[in-house]
Amino acid sequence: MAATPAKVKKLADQLITCITGLTPEEDPANFGLCREFALRSFKGYKFGRTNQFDVNSKLSGLEEKLRIYNRDDIADALRSRLNELPVSTFTPELLSLFLTLSDRPLENAHLDDLDALIRHDQGPKGLTWADIIAEEPLEGEIWKDVDFGAESSDEWSEEGEDDVVEGFVLKGDREGLEALKKAQYWDVKHRVRPIEEEIDVSLGAGGVENISIISEVQAVREVLFMLLGHPCVLFQSLNGIVSVETPALSTQFALRHTSLLAFKALLNWYGEKGTHLNRIRYFTSIRNIHVSPEQQTFTSAVAEKLFLLDQRLIEIEQRFVGNATTNQIASLLSLQSELEPLLHPYILLSNIIGAITNPRTPIPQTTLATLHLEHLFTSACTLQSTGDHQTFTFMTSLFFTSLQTYLRPIRTWMERGELRPSEIFLVSQTLTPDQVEPGGLWHDQFALRTDPATGALQAPRFVHAAAARIFITGKSVVFLQRLAEHHLPTAMLSTDAANAAQDAELTVPDSGGGSDSLAPFQDTFAAAFSAWIGARHHSVSSRLRDILYRDCGLWRSLDALDCVYLCRDGHRFDVLAGAVFEKIDKGVENWGDRFLLTEMVQGVFAGVGCVEGGRLRMRGRMQAGVTVREGRKSVKMLKGVEVDYALPWPIMNVINKQALEAYKSVFTLLLQIRRAQHALKRLTTLKILTTLKRGSGEGALYYSLKHRLLWFTNTLYYYLTDLVLLPQTAQMRAKMAKALDVDGMVGVHAEFVNRIREQCLLGPKLAPIHQTIITLLDLSLAFADAQTSRAARLLSHSSEDLSMHDIPPPRRRPGPATSSSSSDDDDDDGEGEGEGEEDDGDGDGDGDETSHQDEGGHKRRMVAASVRFNAMLDFVKAGLRGVARAGVMPHLETLAEGLDGVWWVVWFG
């Protein structure tokens, strides 16, 4: 390490002496220790030199801050001195020290303080009286005071002295002075007292002594002072309320030519107007940084109107200045007639301000911020209807000035999809872009701001009609921006280009300024505002709609939903349903395996162009604690079969999850009906006619119940597919093609979903009818299972080596009884289960007795099932007709008439 310079050692010695008081002469040992410690610390110090660039940056920032806060004088002084400062080795350290020691230079810096730092040049000292007196004191006869009076000559007499004094005194206008004193009516000393003949003494508060006479010019000036907001004698303002008779105004004033009552009545009229003007002045004087921009604009517009009124009052006051030299006649009545139309708009404005600042009922802050727009709009409509064009123009000018500020966030929302960060705008953001799911972008991210208590829209009344389009337009812009993020070419276009040709400001034709205008202001404004909104709405919404149709595959998704859920392709639906039913009938425990079912459903719809196999998923769920053999006895088991088709996220904003649930419920009902049909049609494969006795009636009962069940299921299936789903789907597609925006598309599809839910008997109002239909379908399964079991028992008695499907046709005995049996064995095997004859004696007696007992019990069960079927069918038809007659769902009458055909089947059978 380099040796310590001698200069540093010398400075260190001085520093030790100043701090500790030690000297090398008095205490060399301790002084040496201190010096060694100090020098060692100097050699190993860890602090580097000041960063000159950091210092320059801080100084530049300080200069910029001073200029931003309009302190250019201080900034110029700082910059000029920095430029004059000589550069040395320790300049950055000195400047850094000054910056560290500075105390809020923006508030505390003053140019006057620089004068104390200016050193004047020490030039040659000038001659002063002090120097002169110091050299030559004022002594001697020449410096003594002279008594001119003692040495005056006899020519100076008292009269001459008075003349000289009078020559230096100006003569005043005593008459003008007295007139000026008399004109100061506000001064008690100079008030003009009336004589008893001039005024009715009984009208005064304390007699003639308490009344002062003033001129009408003075009264007019007092009135103008009061209207301008200045203090005066005739009126007193307390908390903005102008009064004429108060305890403070103990002395009353009167006019010579007017009764005191008439004079006070005029003053009260002016005082009432002054009270309204004071309310306006107080409203404009309030400075609150927390008010909304809409309120600030309104306050500024009111202040401008108040300034125009003050200018007009000053012009009127100028006419009465120097009244003696003009021909202007001072009259309170004339001034009243002149000010009446001038002050009338301000009186209405004062009432509006009173309603805003002191509402009768509590109003939310969001509504209070735009309440002035509501009142101005209502006042303008009323004034136009009454023909008050001057006040109407006054109110509309205030309204449109305040409206422009209110329209700015609306324009920003519709053009860029940006929300104003406040609680005043009519649209609120419920979820952030990171929180919302892509499929809920249209429905979940934004919402119209409504009153939690009443549900009313928190916006002025004139915005309500267009609020929905404003809301839709902004959401469409956000939707397009999200599509652009997913690199959709047509959505990459800027939305500003579509709005570039539109006017930036809202313009409304003059509907009240001219006498020939007949259009109501409310209708004229509504038309202009609707056109202003509609241009932007149509441009953005139509483009988003076309993108959803063309690029996002909305039509293709609708076709896929029809095929998968609504049985558009009956063959593929039957293949899918048959495969599921086969697994259930065989009792396969893993019949609902989602991998196997998904592979199966993707294979079934593999050849359909509108269905993307990768979006299909299928699974089956069983109720807890229920086996497949137990569950297969009811169609309710099929509620666990779920088919999912994953739509693209843009389409999910049109077809939401609730709509997909409706599709799935219709699919479940169709699957349940197909399940009952499948079970009934399987009975045609059972060849058991050889084991039935003739003449028992069981065959006729079997045929009758089977055909009624088939008729019921077929009629219901035909009603759902051909009379409900097919026409409703076609109608929905036609309306969807005409939709103007995404909300229109969502509304059309929601209406379609509600219609098919109700017409397919899935609504909450038709729950009893739907439950009865499910019970009838379960009855079909029970009937089919009973016949299958019956065939199995009869088969065990006839031949244990043959299959039920391979039993040959029965041998018929000659006789007229053969007409009751069917000759078409291949088509209706097992249908004559109760009509067969006994065997020719091949079986033993025990078997015949058991067969007779089983036959009787089975017949009774079929009779009970037939009675139950008839009762439930009557309930269904009565319920359908009851709802149809109520006018709620007249289409259900068609289904009821179709079910009437079941009785024809009974009669024909």
Side-chain angles (χ1 to χ4, degrees):
M1 182 178 295
T4 304
K7 183 176 181 181
V8 175
K9 292 182 179 180
K10 183 178 179 181
L11 293 174
D13 294 345
Q14 295 177 0
L15 180 62
I16 294 171
T17 302
C18 292
I19 296 177
T20 63
L22 299 176
T23 60
E25 293 80 9
E26 296 178 357
D27 193 353
N30 289 331
F31 188 85
L33 292 175
C34 293
R35 175 192 290 174
E36 183 180 358
F37 174 79
L39 295 179
R40 187 169 59 252
S41 299
F42 290 158
K43 291 180 180 180
Y45 75 96
K46 59 182 178 180
F47 301 103
R49 293 197 58 186
T50 301
N51 188 349
Q52 58 178 347
F53 302 103
D54 186 28
V55 174
N56 292 334
S57 177
K58 291 182 179 179
L59 291 172
S60 300
L62 177 60
E63 180 185 358
E64 183 179 1
K65 180 179 179 180
L66 292 171
R67 296 190 186 278
I68 291 176
Y69 281 92
N70 199 22
R71 299 298 301 274
D72 292 339
D73 52 347
I74 303 297
D76 294 339
L78 175 63
R79 176 49 56 189
S80 63
R81 283 158 177 77
L82 289 176
N83 295 335
E84 295 175 0
L85 184 68
V87 180
S88 64
T89 305
F90 297 100
T91 298
E93 281 77 4
L94 295 175
L95 293 177
S96 177
L97 177 63
F98 292 155
L99 286 173
T100 305
L101 297 176
S102 63
D103 180 21
R104 294 177 297 173
L106 180 64
E107 294 84 1
N108 299 333
H110 303 284
L111 288 178
D112 299 340
D113 298 338
L114 296 176
D115 297 337
L117 302 178
I118 298 176
R119 294 184 177 182
H120 299 282
D121 296 335
Q122 299 294 332
K125 186 176 180 180
L127 185 63
T128 62
W129 278 107
D131 298 337
I132 295 175
I133 294 175
E135 293 182 1
E136 298 180 1
L138 301 179
E139 298 177 353
E141 295 293 333
I142 191 173
W143 300 110
K144 292 182 179 180
D145 294 334
V146 180
D147 186 5
F148 295 97
E151 298 179 359
S152 61
S153 61
D154 295 339
E155 298 179 357
W156 292 89
S157 62
E158 293 182 359
E159 296 181 356
E161 183 178 356
D162 293 338
D163 295 337
V164 173
V165 173
E166 290 180 357
F168 289 96
V169 178
L170 297 177
K171 296 181 179 181
D173 185 2
R174 297 185 181 274
E175 296 180 357
L177 178 60
E178 293 298 327
L180 179 61
K181 291 180 179 180
K182 293 180 179 180
Q184 298 176 357
Y185 54 89
W186 57 86
D187 193 352
V188 179
K189 299 177 182 179
H190 307 295
R191 287 175 181 167
V192 178
R193 307 295 181 185
I195 60 177
E196 296 183 0
E197 292 79 4
E198 291 180 342
I199 193 167
D200 188 358
V201 178
S202 62
L203 298 179
V208 176
E209 295 299 327
N210 199 38
I211 298 178
S212 299
I213 296 296
I214 61 175
S215 65
E216 197 151 4
V217 174
Q218 294 170 341
V220 168
R221 290 178 178 175
E222 286 289 312
V223 167
L224 293 176
F225 287 163
M226 181 270 298
L227 294 179
L228 287 168
H230 304 317
C232 56
V233 177
L234 294 183
F235 304 92
Q236 183 178 10
S237 178
L238 181 61
N239 295 328
I241 301 176
V242 179
S243 303
V244 178
E245 295 184 0
T246 60
L249 299 176
S250 58
T251 302
Q252 301 182 27
F253 296 88
L255 300 177
R256 292 182 183 275
H257 56 280
T258 306
S259 66
L260 192 58
L261 285 178
F263 181 56
K264 286 185 177 180
L266 278 175
L267 293 182
N268 285 328
W269 184 89
Y270 285 113
E272 181 182 356
K273 306 302 179 184
T275 300
H276 288 285
L277 293 181
N278 286 344
R279 179 186 294 172
I280 299 177
R281 295 183 191 278
Y282 177 75
F283 177 76
T284 57
S285 65
I286 298 175
R287 295 292 181 266
N288 188 356
I289 61 175
H290 299 292
V291 298
S292 63
E294 290 83 0
Q295 293 173 308
Q296 293 178 4
T297 304
F298 174 63
T299 304
S300 177
V302 171
E304 184 178 354
K305 292 293 184 183
L306 193 60
F307 174 77
L308 296 177
L309 175 64
D310 291 344
Q311 294 297 319
R312 178 61 179 152
L313 293 176
I314 292 173
E315 293 177 1
I316 295 175
E317 185 181 10
Q318 287 178 351
R319 301 204 306 259
F320 300 98
V321 176
N323 186 53
T325 59
T326 62
N327 296 325
Q328 178 69 36
I329 299 176
S331 172
L332 288 175
L333 291 176
S334 175
L335 181 64
Q336 181 184 18
S337 61
E338 182 179 0
L339 292 180
E340 173 66 26
L342 180 63
L343 297 179
H344 179 64
Y346 293 90
I347 305 305
L348 296 180
L349 178 59
S350 173
N351 294 332
I352 293 176
I353 292 176
I356 295 173
T357 54
N358 299 309
R360 296 180 180 179
T361 58
I363 299 177
Q365 182 62 29
T366 53
T367 304
L368 188 62
T370 58
L371 190 60
H372 61 282
L373 290 173
E374 183 81 24
H375 285 286
L376 290 174
F377 181 78
T378 304
S379 298
C381 295
T382 304
L383 291 170
Q384 192 215 19
S385 63
T386 58
D388 191 351
H389 302 301
Q390 178 181 356
T391 311
F392 169 78
T393 305
F394 179 89
M395 289 296 175
T396 52
S397 62
L398 283 175
F399 172 71
F400 285 116
T401 301
S402 304
L403 182 64
Q404 296 304 325
T405 304
Y406 182 75
L407 293 181
R408 289 195 190 104
I410 295 179
R411 185 185 302 112
T412 303
W413 165 250
M414 291 193 300
E415 294 180 358
R416 297 195 295 271
E418 298 176 0
L419 282 179
R420 172 178 167 182
S422 69
E423 298 182 355
I424 298 175
F425 189 52
L426 56 90
V427 179
S428 63
Q429 184 173 357
T430 56
L431 295 176
T432 62
D434 298 334
Q435 294 173 340
V436 67
E437 297 180 359
L441 177 64
W442 186 263
H443 301 280
D444 301 337
Q445 187 172 1
F446 304 100
L448 286 173
R449 196 181 300 277
T450 56
D451 188 357
T454 62
L457 181 66
Q458 292 184 343
R461 177 167 55 91
F462 55 83
V463 182
H464 289 191
R469 287 187 294 167
I470 295 173
F471 185 47
I472 292 171
T473 304
K475 289 198 299 182
S476 300
V477 173
V478 176
F479 206 118
L480 287 172
Q481 293 173 353
R482 183 64 65 90
L483 289 174
E485 293 176 1
H486 288 76
H487 307 289
L488 191 63
T490 53
M492 296 291 288
L493 299 176
S494 175
T495 57
D496 295 335
N499 300 316
Q502 305 300 329
D503 296 333
E505 301 295 337
L506 173 65
T507 57
V508 179
D510 183 14
S511 59
S515 58
D516 57 345
S517 178
L518 300 178
F521 174 72
Q522 183 174 0
D523 297 341
T524 306
F525 176 81
F529 189 65
S530 178
W532 187 78
I533 297 295
R536 293 161 172 79
H537 170 74
H538 177 73
S539 174
V540 177
S541 300
S542 60
R543 185 148 55 92
L544 177 58
R545 178 198 59 191
D546 296 339
I547 289 174
L548 290 175
Y549 286 156
R550 183 181 59 252
D551 300 330
C552 297
L554 177 60
W555 297 124
R556 183 178 181 182
S557 298
L558 290 174
D559 291 338
L561 294 178
D562 287 348
C563 289
V564 174
Y565 295 107
L566 304 185
C567 192
R568 178 177 177 179
D569 191 337
H571 171 68
R572 297 182 185 275
F573 186 81
D574 287 344
V575 173
L576 177 63
V580 175
F581 299 155
E582 183 179 359
K583 289 178 178 292
I584 294 175
D585 291 335
K586 290 182 179 180
V588 180
E589 292 297 334
N590 63 339
W591 70 273
D593 184 76
R594 60 190 182 95
F595 297 105
L596 298 177
L597 291 181
T598 298
E599 182 180 1
M600 181 181 66
V601 72
Q602 290 179 354
V604 170
F605 292 100
V608 182
C610 61
V611 179
E612 300 181 27
R615 298 183 180 275
L616 270 173
R617 297 291 184 273
M618 187 175 180
R619 61 181 175 180
R621 294 179 178 178
M622 284 295 299
Q623 187 178 358
V626 179
T627 62
V628 179
R629 294 188 178 275
E630 294 173 351
R632 63 178 294 275
K633 297 179 181 180
S634 175
V635 296
K636 296 179 182 178
M637 175 185 180
L638 299 177
K639 294 179 66 175
V641 178
E642 296 182 3
V643 178
D644 295 323
Y645 187 77
L647 295 171
W649 72 264
I651 307 302
M652 290 186 65
N653 288 274
V654 180
I655 306 172
N656 52 24
K657 296 180 180 179
Q658 291 77 12
L660 288 177
E661 292 300 323
Y663 277 100
K664 292 178 181 179
S665 62
V666 174
F667 172 80
T668 300
L669 180 59
L670 292 174
L671 195 63
Q672 289 172 338
I673 298 173
R674 295 297 294 172
R675 172 64 173 160
Q677 290 177 333
H678 177 77
L680 292 172
K681 290 180 180 180
R682 286 189 62 187
L683 294 178
T684 59
T685 62
L686 300 178
K687 302 178 181 180
I688 58 173
L689 297 179
T690 57
T691 61
L692 297 179
K693 292 179 61 177
R694 292 184 179 273
S696 63
E698 183 180 353
L701 186 59
Y702 164 75
Y703 271 118
S704 174
L705 186 55
K706 176 189 173 185
H707 278 276
R708 278 182 289 166
L709 290 171
L710 278 174
W711 183 279
F712 171 75
T713 55
N714 291 338
T715 301
L716 185 59
Y717 192 79
Y718 169 76
Y719 165 78
L720 294 177
T721 55
D722 289 9
L723 300 184
V724 174
L725 298 179
L726 185 61
Q728 289 298 329
T729 301
Q731 185 179 1
M732 180 269 293
R733 288 173 176 272
K735 291 183 178 180
M736 186 78 75
K738 298 178 181 179
L740 299 178
D741 47 47
V742 176
D743 259 9
M745 298 159 61
V746 173
V748 168
H749 192 266
E751 181 185 2
F752 163 74
V753 168
N754 291 333
R755 283 181 176 272
I756 64 172
R757 182 187 287 113
E758 295 296 335
Q759 296 186 15
C760 292
L761 312 177
L762 297 172
K765 298 180 181 179
L766 301 176
I769 299 177
H770 178 262
Q771 293 296 331
T772 306
I773 290 176
I774 296 300
T775 305
L776 286 172
L777 297 178
D778 288 343
L779 182 61
S780 301
L781 292 184
F783 173 75
D785 287 345
Q787 296 303 322
T788 304
S789 300
R790 170 73 166 158
R793 288 195 297 270
L794 295 177
L795 179 62
S796 64
H797 289 293
S798 60
S799 177
E800 298 179 357
D801 298 329
L802 298 177
S803 171
M804 289 187 295
H805 305 285
D806 299 327
I807 297 178
R811 298 189 301 271
R812 304 186 183 275
R813 294 181 179 180
T818 58
S819 60
S820 62
S821 60
S822 176
S823 62
D824 191 3
D825 299 330
D826 295 334
D827 295 335
D828 295 314
D829 290 334
E831 293 180 4
E833 181 179 351
E835 298 178 354
E837 301 176 350
E838 296 181 356
D839 294 340
D840 294 336
D842 296 335
D844 54 10
D846 294 338
D848 292 340
E849 184 178 356
T850 303
S851 179
H852 286 306
Q853 294 176 357
D854 182 68
E855 178 181 341
H858 182 71
K859 182 177 180 179
R860 287 192 300 271
R861 287 193 295 271
M862 281 202 300
V863 171
S866 178
V867 173
R868 187 183 180 193
F869 172 80
N870 294 337
M872 288 189 292
L873 183 63
D874 290 340
F875 174 80
V876 171
K877 292 190 296 182
L880 293 175
R881 286 196 170 97
V883 177
R885 291 193 190 98
V888 181
M889 302 174 192
H891 56 275
L892 297 180
E893 182 69 30
T894 304
L895 178 58
E897 293 177 358
L899 295 179
D900 279 338
V902 175
W903 295 110
W904 177 84
V905 173
V906 175
W907 177 258
F908 182 77

